[in-house]
Each structure stands twice: as structure tokens, then as C-alpha cells.
Amino acid sequence: MNRLKALYLKHKEIILYIFFGVLTTLVSIASFWLFDLILTTKLHLISNLLSWIVTVIFAFVMNKLFVFESKSWGGKTLVREAAEFLGARIFSLIVEELGMLLLVDLCGFKNIALSLFGFDISGALIAKAILSVVVIILNYFFSKFIIFKRKN
């Protein structure tokens, strides 16, 4: 048990990032699915944008509090972290939006439809899941080395 605890403590940040990254991805995919259902539109980019807003708010709070343990809630620090977080997420949103355009519209994912455990899964949702992995990796590097970088 001590060995497991030592391993956790050694890799705590990455373990928490993966855990909250999975939760954030679930929030992203679930909110995308919900907005896509509500809007009943073929414009998946709108559903993706609304999903992104919900997801960024969730991710900022989880990363600040639990992953990178940034304890300062002072105005200057909070504004800086939030602005950098938003900027990094805007960049990854552009990557994701271009990826959605590429996969769904240009690579034909829009023609894919399957059923899994009674749920209809569109090609757009599959593309969203693939791009979520890319976004998680990008966002980790931004958060770790720029936004929540610890000063010695």
C-alpha cells in the first residue's frame, strides 16, 4: 500500500490531470450531444461552440483547484490565470473546430452512423471524441508550462 501511495504522490499531478481530463471530456461530449439534440441542427459547429463554453468553465475550476493547486484567488493572479487559460482554450478550440470541419465535412465522418448500447452515435460525435484526445494533450502543456507554472 505504501508503494502505491508513493507512486501516486510521485505522479499526482498527471494522475489528477488525466482524471479531471476524462471528466472534462465527458462534460464536453455530453454537452455537445445535448446541444446537438436541442438545436436539431446540421451545424455541429454551433453545438461544439456551446459545449466548449461549458467545458472551459468546468476545466478552469478543476485545474485551478485540484490539478495545479493554484491557491491564489487574488484579483491579479485570478485575472492572469483566467485570461491565459481562456487564450489557450481558444487556441485549442480553433484546432478542434478545424478538426471537426476536416473530419466531419471533408473526410466523410458525417456519413457514419452506428448504434452502441442503444445509443445512436453520429460520425460528428466520433470526430468529437477523437479530437478531445488531441485537445487534452494540448491543454495539459499550456496549463503545466504557462498558465499554472509554479514559481520557485
Side-chain angles (χ1 to χ4, degrees), residues 32 36 44 109-110 112-114 120-127:
F32 173 79
D36 225 29
H44 302 292
F109 274 54
K110 65 183 166 195
I112 298 171
L114 26 114
D120 292 330
I121 299 173
S122 68
L125 190 59
I126 294 168

Side-chain angles (χ1 to χ4, degrees), residues 8 12 22-23 27 29-31 40-41 43 71 80-81 88 92 114 117 119 131 134-135 145:
Y8 169 76
K12 179 181 175 186
V22 169
L23 286 181
V27 167
I29 291 170
S31 61
T40 60
T41 179
L43 298 173
K71 302 296 184 199
R80 180 193 57 78
E81 288 175 347
S92 64
L114 26 114
F117 304 116
F119 291 100
L131 290 165
V134 173
V135 167
F145 298 110

Side-chain angles (χ1 to χ4, degrees), residues 30-99:
S31 61
F32 173 79
W33 175 76
L34 185 63
F35 286 124
D36 225 29
L37 262 172
I38 291 169
L39 297 175
T40 60
T41 179
K42 298 296 179 199
L43 298 173
H44 302 292
L45 296 179
I46 294 170
S47 297
N48 196 50
L49 179 62
L50 294 172
S51 166
W52 178 82
I53 292 167
V54 170
T55 303
V56 167
I57 293 167
F58 178 80
F60 178 73
V61 173
M62 296 301 108
N63 277 280
K64 180 169 180 57
L65 293 177
F66 302 112
V67 178
F68 299 103
E69 298 177 350
S70 176
K71 302 296 184 199
S72 175
W73 288 94
K76 187 176 179 181
T77 300
L78 185 61
V79 167
R80 180 193 57 78
E81 288 175 347
E84 289 176 353
F85 195 86
L86 182 60
R89 290 322 188 258
I90 287 171
F91 176 77
S92 64
L93 171 66
I94 291 168
V95 169
E96 187 174 32
E97 289 285 284
L98 290 174

Side-chain angles (χ1 to χ4, degrees), residues 101-114:
L101 182 66
L102 176 71
L103 292 176
V104 174
D105 295 326
L106 299 177
C107 292
F109 274 54
K110 65 183 166 195
N111 300 321
I112 298 171
L114 26 114

